[in-house]
Amino acid sequence: MSDDHKSNEKWALAPRFRLVRVGGKRRGIRLEEVYWGALDELAASRDEPLGEVIAQCEGRLNEGANLTSALRVEAVKYLRNERDAIRSVSELNAVENQVQACPTPCFALSDDKRLIAQNPAFIHFVQTRFPLHKANQGVHLSLAMPFAELIDRLKAEGTGLATVGFVIGVAGQTVRGQLNAILAPMIDRDAIIAFVLPN
């Protein structure tokens, strides 16, 4: 571990006493610098003074509870929410990039049965199989097995690949085919990337 890293770690863990106006009164609070930093960011994200964030946290305390402990928890919750939001965006970007990089029809489907990404080749695949006036009425896609079962199969087999049938429907007209499915690189929800196989 470098000296700079050790120095930053010591700084972040060093307690600092601050006077903060909370509910019209000045309160003295001692917290480690890393928690002050997170609470300052939280206050800025809400466009509120730090004292208001502290007052809200204090208002949720049970009788006899420790305010500094509650503030540490509040800071960690904020940082975890920020991390989860960033991870969610970066995971979705990774899925979209993989789908877009595929030269053949490809799409990504999430566990709530939503298309979360599709490439131009997949859009062309749909448009060439349905009249244009029908393709604009809404496309319905279903798999030949329940989504949860497909996810379980992909996770259990460890091969990373499963071939499954699919049906695309538009205004009462359907097209059937097969696709290769892999797990999408997402942590907080199940999703697949599907590669449409040629007929």
Side-chain angles (χ1 to χ4, degrees):
M1 188 180 294
S2 71
D3 289 342
D4 284 347
H5 185 76
K6 287 179 183 175
S7 165
N8 287 340
E9 204 172 76
K10 285 179 184 174
W11 173 84
L13 296 175
R16 179 159 67 104
F17 181 81
R18 283 176 70 174
L19 287 171
V20 183
R21 187 166 292 281
V22 180
K25 296 179 182 176
R26 286 168 62 92
R27 294 281 303 272
I29 301 170
R30 182 179 297 278
L31 277 176
E32 292 78 4
E33 193 63 48
V34 67
Y35 295 115
W36 281 125
L39 291 169
D40 285 335
E41 285 182 29
L42 172 58
S45 74
R46 293 181 182 172
D47 198 23
E48 295 176 346
L50 177 60
E52 181 60 28
V53 170
I54 293 171
Q56 291 168 13
C57 191
E58 189 173 38
R60 293 191 297 270
L61 286 178
N62 294 325
E63 189 175 339
N66 185 294
L67 177 60
T68 54
S69 294
L71 291 173
R72 288 184 183 98
V73 170
E74 192 77 8
V76 170
K77 279 171 45 182
Y78 166 72
L79 292 174
R80 287 185 67 179
N81 289 340
E82 288 294 292
R83 180 209 60 196
D84 290 347
I86 291 167
R87 187 167 65 189
S88 175
V89 169
S90 64
E91 286 174 355
L92 188 55
N93 284 343
V95 169
E96 287 176 348
N97 289 340
Q98 288 183 24
V99 168
Q100 293 302 322
C102 182
T104 59
C106 182
F107 61 88
L109 187 67
S110 64
D111 53 7
D112 59 1
K113 300 179 182 173
R114 256 185 342 109
L115 277 176
I116 55 176
Q118 66 267 343
N119 67 0
F122 179 70
I123 294 168
H124 179 73
F125 173 86
V126 173
Q127 289 174 339
T128 56
R129 282 153 180 80
F130 298 99
L132 191 58
H133 69 281
K134 287 189 175 181
N136 291 332
Q137 295 178 22
V139 176
H140 301 282
L141 184 142
S142 61
L143 301 177
M145 72 169 58
F147 187 85
E149 187 179 319
L150 175 59
I151 292 291
D152 289 344
R153 182 171 153 193
L154 287 169
K155 289 178 179 177
E157 289 181 1
T159 62
L161 178 69
T163 301
V164 64
F166 71 90
V167 178
I168 296 177
V170 175
Q173 184 181 347
T174 61
V175 169
R176 297 177 183 276
Q178 286 199 311
L179 56 83
N180 282 337
I182 61 170
L183 289 172
M186 304 186 88
I187 295 172
D188 293 334
R189 62 177 168 168
D190 290 325
I192 61 164
I193 297 177
F195 305 90
V196 177
L197 298 175
N199 290 337

